[in-house]
Amino acid sequence: MSHLDSENFDDELGGQPPRRNDRNEEIERYKDILKKGGNGIRTIEALEEIVDFYFEQEKFEEALHFADQLIEFTPYSSDAWVRRGMILNNMYKYDEAIECYVQAINLNPNESEIYINLGITYDNANRVDEALESFDKALSIDQGNDEALFNKAVTFEKVERFEEAAEIFEFLLKDNKENRDALFELGFCYDFMDRLEESLRCYDEHLNLDPYNYNAWYNRGIVLNRMGDFVRSIDSYEMCIAIKEDFGAAWYNKGNAYANMGKFHEAIECYSQTLRHESKDVPAWHNMGNAYEELGNYTEAIKCFTQAIKYDHEHYESFFGRGSCYDSLEQYKKALQDYNRALEICRNYPELWYAKADVEYNLGKYRECLISYKMVVQLDPKNSEALFDLGDTLFELGYLKESLKALNRCLEINQQCAEAYYSRAKVLFVMKKMLDAVDSLKSAFSLRNDLRKRFESEFLGVKSIKEFSSLLQR
C-alpha cells in the first residue's frame, strides 16, 4: 500500500473528487470546515482528505498533524491508525509506525492490508523475520493476496534469498504476464543467480511495458556488461541517461564498459560526467586514474588517485594505483611509501606485496624484497611468477639451496616457464651439478632457443666444459 485510500465523499463535501488543479482550493475548504466545526461526519471526512493530500505531497509533518486530529475524533478506527502508521513509516520513525499498526490490528485483526503495511515497516527497520511473519499472516487471511506475496519476495531479496524470491515472482507472473514490477524484480533475482539470459529477458519484457524506467535500463546494462556484451551495455546506459541525465552510476558503469573495450578516452569522459554529478565519488576518481594509467598518462593518473584518497583515506586500491604510477615514473621511494600505506590497510593482497617486492629490488633493498616475495607466495602459493622472481633473487644473493627449491616449485606449477628452467640451470651450474644443469638447459632451450646465447655470454668459457659444449653447438 503506497498511498492512502479515501472513501467517496457525499454531495455535501463536493460530490465527485476534485480535479488536481482545484485540489489546493478544496483542501482550504476542508480546513474551513474544521475551523467552523460541524457534524462529526463532515469533520472526519475533511480530516481524511487533508491527511491524504499532504501524504501524497510528501508533506509528512503536516499529514501527521492532521492524522493525530483524526485519531482524536475516531480513536477506534483501524483505518485512522493505519494512516498514522504509514506517515510515520515514511518519516523513518519505524518503531512508532509499528505501534500504530499493532493498535490497528487490535481493532481489526482480520484485515490483511494492515499486516502488509506492518511487514513493509518491519522490512524497512531491517527486522526481516518479523516482516516475513507479517506477510505470512496476511496470506493466512487472504491466501491469494498479490501485494503480500510481492512484498514477501522483496524481503527475501533483501537478505539474498534470491531463489525463494524468484519462485514467488514467477508465481505472480503466471497469473499476470504483464506484471511489470514482478518482471523487474525477477530480472534482479536472475542477475544474482547468474541466470543472465533470463535476467535480460525479464528486463526486456519489463521495458516493453515501461520504456521510461531508467532503473530498468540501468540494470539491463549491468547484466549485458556481465555477459561481456559491452556495446549493448553502453546502449542501455545511454537510454538510462537520456531519461535521467544526472544518474551518476549510469555514467560510471558506461565508463567501465568503455574501459573493458580498451576505449580509455571515452571511459575518462564518462567518469568525468559521473564526477560532475557526484564530485566525491571515490570509485569514479579511482577508475579514471586507472584509465589514465592505461594511457601512460601517469601524471593525470596520480592526480585522480590522490583525489580518491582525499575523499577516502582508507582506499588502499588508490594507494596501490598511485604507487604503480610512481613506480612507472621510476620514483621508487614514493611508490614504496604508497605500497606500504596500502598494506597497512589491507595486508592480505598478494599483488600489493608483489609490487612492493619489485620496487624494493629496484631500490637495492634485497633483504626486504625477499620478505615481500615470500609474502606473495604465502598468500598465493600457485603464483609461479612470484616463485620465479623469489628463486632468481635468492640466486643473486647466493642462497643457492633456497633458490633451487623456489624454482622447482615454480616449475611444478608452470612447466612451460623457460626462464625458470634457465635460472635453475644457472643455480645447478654454480652448485657444480653439471648433468642436472644440462637437463635443465635442454628444457629451457627447447622452449626458447634464444636463451643459448644468453647462457654463453653469462658463463664465459662454458664451451670448454665437456657436458655443455655439445649442447651449445646445437
Side-chain angles (χ1 to χ4, degrees):
M1 183 185 285
S2 60
H3 62 278
L4 299 177
D5 295 318
S6 300
E7 297 178 359
N8 292 329
F9 303 121
D10 59 24
D11 291 338
E12 190 175 14
L13 283 177
Q16 295 298 317
R19 291 175 299 174
R20 185 174 296 274
N21 296 356
D22 303 326
R23 194 73 187 280
N24 288 327
E25 293 180 10
E26 290 293 325
I27 292 302
E28 291 305 317
R29 188 160 70 83
Y30 295 142
K31 288 182 180 179
D32 287 339
I33 291 172
L34 295 180
K35 290 177 182 177
K36 295 174 182 176
N39 65 54
I41 293 175
R42 286 165 60 93
T43 299
I44 292 167
E45 291 179 344
L47 282 167
E48 289 175 341
E49 177 66 14
I50 293 169
V51 170
D52 292 354
F53 172 78
Y54 282 125
F55 185 86
E56 291 165 8
Q57 297 294 314
E58 298 185 2
K59 295 181 178 180
F60 300 122
E61 291 289 351
E62 292 91 334
L64 183 60
H65 171 72
F66 288 103
D68 288 340
Q69 290 188 38
L70 179 60
I71 287 174
E72 288 180 17
F73 275 92
T74 59
Y76 300 108
S77 166
S78 62
D79 287 343
W81 284 103
V82 168
R83 277 180 164 83
R84 189 173 192 273
M86 292 176 65
I87 295 165
L88 289 164
N89 176 71
N90 280 274
M91 296 173 73
Y92 310 106
K93 297 181 178 181
Y94 301 127
D95 290 340
E96 294 178 60
I98 289 165
E99 290 176 6
C100 291
Y101 294 134
V102 170
Q103 183 65 28
I105 289 168
N106 290 335
L107 295 166
N108 188 2
N110 296 314
E111 176 54 62
S112 60
E113 291 295 318
I114 304 174
Y115 287 100
I116 293 171
N117 281 292
L118 176 60
I120 291 170
T121 300
Y122 275 135
D123 179 79
N124 289 337
N126 294 316
R127 294 165 64 173
V128 172
D129 292 338
E130 291 159 293
L132 294 172
E133 287 175 13
S134 296
F135 297 134
D136 285 339
K137 181 62 179 178
L139 290 166
S140 71
I141 297 168
D142 181 3
Q143 188 173 3
N145 191 303
D146 288 354
E147 191 177 3
L149 285 167
F150 181 86
N151 281 287
K152 181 179 180 181
V154 169
T155 300
F156 278 142
E157 281 183 304
K158 187 172 184 177
V159 292
E160 300 184 0
R161 292 165 64 175
F162 295 111
E163 290 82 2
E164 293 164 276
E167 187 176 345
I168 294 174
F169 293 130
E170 289 165 352
F171 174 80
L172 292 171
L173 286 164
K174 286 180 182 177
D175 286 340
N176 179 9
K177 293 181 180 180
E178 295 189 350
N179 186 331
R180 64 183 67 182
D181 292 332
L183 282 166
F184 180 91
E185 298 298 340
L186 184 57
F188 185 79
C189 289
Y190 283 153
D191 182 7
F192 277 87
M193 294 164 68
D194 288 324
R195 294 165 63 175
L196 300 180
E197 292 287 352
E198 292 166 282
S199 176
L200 182 61
R201 174 183 57 78
C202 287
Y203 285 127
D204 284 341
E205 291 181 18
H206 171 90
L207 286 164
N208 286 335
L209 299 168
D210 187 2
Y212 295 102
N213 185 343
Y214 60 86
N215 282 311
W217 284 112
Y218 174 75
N219 285 4
R220 182 177 183 271
I222 295 291
V223 172
L224 287 165
N225 194 70
R226 292 189 63 207
M227 293 170 70
D229 193 341
F230 303 124
V231 174
R232 290 171 69 201
S233 173
I234 289 169
D235 289 341
S236 275
Y237 295 134
E238 287 179 346
M239 286 297 296
C240 171
I241 292 164
I243 300 165
K244 185 173 174 58
E245 193 272 339
D246 63 346
F247 196 157
W251 283 109
Y252 171 76
N253 281 288
K254 182 182 173 186
N256 289 345
Y258 274 127
N260 286 327
M261 295 169 68
K263 295 185 175 183
F264 298 110
H265 292 290
E266 292 87 343
I268 288 167
E269 175 57 30
C270 291
Y271 297 137
S272 297
Q273 288 293 330
T274 303
L275 293 166
R276 186 165 70 86
H277 301 295
E278 301 171 21
S279 62
K280 298 181 180 180
D281 189 293
V282 171
W285 281 113
H286 177 79
N287 282 11
M288 187 155 68
N290 283 338
Y292 276 121
E293 184 180 6
E294 290 289 343
L295 292 170
N297 191 340
Y298 301 117
T299 302
E300 286 301 316
I302 287 168
K303 290 178 183 177
C304 293
F305 291 130
T306 301
Q307 284 294 107
I309 292 165
K310 173 183 174 182
Y311 296 122
D312 182 357
H313 303 308
E314 301 295 305
H315 200 253
Y316 64 89
E317 298 96 329
S318 290
F319 281 107
F320 187 8
R322 192 172 70 177
S324 296
C325 291
Y326 284 133
D327 198 343
S328 297
L329 293 169
E330 298 185 4
Q331 297 182 32
Y332 299 128
K333 289 183 179 179
K334 288 184 177 180
L336 184 57
Q337 286 177 349
D338 275 345
Y339 292 152
N340 283 335
R341 179 69 185 103
L343 286 167
E344 288 175 11
I345 303 166
C346 179
R347 293 193 63 78
N348 298 322
Y349 195 170
E351 289 85 355
L352 252 175
W353 283 105
Y354 206 159
K356 180 174 185 282
D358 286 345
V359 82
E360 285 169 335
Y361 180 89
N362 288 330
L363 286 168
K365 296 176 178 288
Y366 301 119
R367 306 290 178 186
E368 292 89 338
C369 90
L370 284 179
I371 294 171
S372 295
Y373 281 134
K374 288 178 180 179
M375 281 299 300
V376 180
V377 173
Q378 180 179 322
L379 294 168
D380 184 7
K382 299 293 184 181
N383 192 324
S384 60
E385 292 181 4
L387 282 164
F388 168 73
D389 285 334
L390 173 62
D392 218 30
T393 305
L394 285 165
F395 172 66
E396 288 183 32
L397 296 178
Y399 297 106
L400 300 181
K401 289 183 179 179
E402 286 186 61
S403 172
L404 186 61
K405 182 178 178 181
L407 292 168
N408 284 338
R409 284 179 62 192
C410 169
L411 290 166
E412 287 173 9
I413 298 166
N414 181 10
Q415 297 179 8
Q416 301 301 309
C417 184
E419 289 281 0
Y421 284 114
Y422 179 77
S423 290
R424 181 175 178 272
K426 291 195 296 183
V427 175
L428 292 165
F429 178 76
V430 173
M431 295 174 73
K432 303 191 182 303
K433 296 184 177 183
M434 301 304 180
L435 293 177
D436 290 337
V438 168
D439 287 339
S440 197
L441 278 178
K442 284 180 181 178
S443 297
F445 295 165
S446 68
L447 292 167
R448 280 184 52 190
N449 194 51
D450 62 295
L451 292 173
R452 293 173 184 272
K453 290 185 178 179
R454 191 205 296 182
F455 185 79
E456 187 174 356
S457 65
E458 288 182 357
F459 291 85
L460 299 175
V462 75
K463 284 185 178 180
S464 63
I465 300 175
K466 176 182 175 183
E467 289 84 358
F468 290 96
S469 59
S470 58
L471 178 64
L472 292 172
Q473 290 169 3
R474 291 180 186 177

